Structure formats: C-alpha cells, structure tokens
C-alpha cells in the first residue's frame, strides 16, 4: 500500500495541528524540497533519454500544493 507523505504525517502526529499551524507547513516544505531534488537527480540521468525526463516530471508533480 502506497501512503502519501501527508497521510503518514497525520498518522504519526495526529490532527493536533490546526490548518494554519507551522507543523504542516514545515512538512510541506520538506516534502516538496525532497521531490524537487529527486526530480533534479533523475533528470541528470541523460543516458535514459526521454524516460528520465518523463519520470522527473512525474516526481515533480507529486508536490503538495501550497495552501
């Protein structure tokens, strides 16, 4: 079963954070930064050609939308 990072965050910390709490924003920034770096590293795999570029876009699209 694939669990989105936000679901894991809520599972571990519960819903103790209000929507405007810093906890969710910190999680979101870390998650998005990790995805950006993963996408950047994947895009560097030029030997894979368009496959790497497509996968990098897929990873980047997993970002959480800022609220």
């Amino acid at each position: 079963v694939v669990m989105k990072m936000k679901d894991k965050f809520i599972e571990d910390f519960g819903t103790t954070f209000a929507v405007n709490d810093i906890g969710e924003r910190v999680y979101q920034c870390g998650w998005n930064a990790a995805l950006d770096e993963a996408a950047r590293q994947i895009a560097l795999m030029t030997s894979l050609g368009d496959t790497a570029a497509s996968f990098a876009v897929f990873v980047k699209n997993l970002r959480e939308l800022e609220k």
Side-chain angles (χ1 to χ4, degrees), residues 25-52:
R25 184 69 179 123
V26 168
Y27 137 76
Q28 187 180 61
C29 288
W31 174 251
N32 288 344
L35 288 174
D36 289 342
E37 179 60 18
R40 191 180 73 75
Q41 292 293 327
I42 291 166
L44 294 175
M45 297 178 189
T46 55
S47 63
L48 299 175
D50 290 341
T51 301

Side-chain angles (χ1 to χ4, degrees), residues 42-65:
I42 291 166
L44 294 175
M45 297 178 189
T46 55
S47 63
L48 299 175
D50 290 341
T51 301
S54 295
F55 191 61
V57 169
F58 169 78
V59 169
K60 195 129 182 154
N61 285 332
L62 295 174
R63 291 173 49 97
E64 288 282 327
L65 298 177

